[in-house]
Amino acid sequence: MDTADLTPEAFSLTLSLGGRYAGEQQWALHGERSALVARVQTDFGGVLPGVRRVQTSRMHPRLLTSLGYAEGDGRGRPGFEVSFDRRVGLITLRQGRDEATQPLTTEYHDPVSLLLWLRQLTAQDGGGPERTHAQLTGGRVLIQRLPDAEVDGTPCSGFFLRPGNAYVYVEQDAPHRLMRLIQPTDFGPVEANAQPAGRRTVQGRERRRRV
């Protein structure tokens, strides 16, 4: 796929914890030098401490496997980075000043590319197989298909990811939006829900005033 054919995309999710406002998540996707690049900025707030996390993923534009991943606060050098050098067959992981390498023997996903790959599975195969897996640098992730469900009246394909015990719900029809993500945290399960265009900012302000 030519990255010139990739239409830039942007969407937002609203975070909640126990039904109370917990922040916003902004996604931006665009083509760049024969790769698909996704930037995900999560601003926690409301009932959660006010922390910003920025994730950047470079992916193969067709396979959505990871070409590189970085995570930090968006204010300086990322605190965690992974790069994949297929020419020499090495993975390089950097965390702070520490650096380690390991052999590159298979294709990998990162936390962002994995979600977009599940969206692609839904678009291509109506939700994908009942069970499949993906390889991340931290280990293998088992993906179990859940019964179809409706999220805010939208038919969705559901997935359960282990380890991590995360839930992902993807709109079955185009444009196959990420409708709901549920991730366990030390504070409890945090939900990220898609909001209709034009309502996110208003709802976010209202929730911020209530907390």
Side-chain angles (χ1 to χ4, degrees):
M1 179 185 295
D2 189 337
T3 55
D5 297 330
L6 296 173
T7 302
E9 182 181 359
F11 56 90
S12 303
L13 304 174
T14 298
L15 309 183
S16 64
L17 174 64
R20 303 184 69 187
Y21 178 80
E24 302 280 340
Q25 188 173 83
Q26 312 286 337
W27 287 65
L29 284 67
H30 68 276
E32 180 183 293
R33 285 192 246 171
S34 68
L36 173 64
V37 178
R39 183 182 188 275
V40 183
Q41 177 174 309
T42 306
D43 290 297
F44 297 99
V47 295
L48 292 178
V51 174
R52 171 171 291 178
R53 181 178 66 173
V54 176
Q55 300 163 277
T56 304
S57 172
R58 296 183 69 255
M59 295 159 274
H60 188 285
R62 181 173 53 84
L63 301 176
L64 299 183
T65 48
S66 186
L67 304 175
Y69 175 77
E71 184 174 318
D73 60 10
R75 297 184 177 90
R77 183 174 177 176
F80 177 74
E81 294 180 270
V82 181
S83 60
F84 302 92
D85 191 334
R86 286 165 175 78
R87 290 175 298 178
V88 297
L90 278 180
I91 305 171
T92 301
L93 301 96
R94 299 182 183 89
Q95 186 159 10
R97 297 183 178 179
D98 297 327
E99 181 175 310
T101 60
Q102 63 186 55
L104 175 58
T105 58
T106 188
E107 295 294 338
Y108 284 80
H109 284 284
D110 58 56
V112 172
S113 74
L114 177 59
L115 294 176
L116 296 177
W117 181 62
L118 292 178
R119 190 172 76 159
Q120 180 174 279
L121 278 184
T122 302
Q124 293 180 346
D125 303 316
E130 291 299 315
R131 294 170 73 90
T132 187
H133 72 275
Q135 188 69 39
L136 276 70
T137 55
R140 179 167 161 157
V141 176
L142 177 64
I143 302 165
Q144 180 180 346
R145 176 76 186 275
L146 299 174
D148 293 346
E150 286 195 357
V151 177
D152 293 334
T154 300
C156 292
S157 296
F159 304 91
F160 179 62
L161 281 55
R162 291 196 311 246
N165 297 332
Y167 293 83
V168 180
Y169 292 91
V170 182
E171 182 179 24
Q172 291 180 344
D173 298 327
H176 308 291
R177 293 172 294 165
L178 294 174
M179 291 296 298
R180 176 172 293 163
L181 313 174
I182 304 175
Q183 178 69 56
T185 71
D186 292 341
F187 301 96
V190 172
E191 288 193 18
N193 289 286
Q195 294 294 335
R199 288 180 54 194
R200 180 189 59 81
T201 302
V202 173
Q203 289 186 345
R205 288 173 179 169
E206 290 176 349
R207 289 175 182 173
R208 278 191 287 267
R209 282 198 294 266
R210 287 199 298 266
V211 295

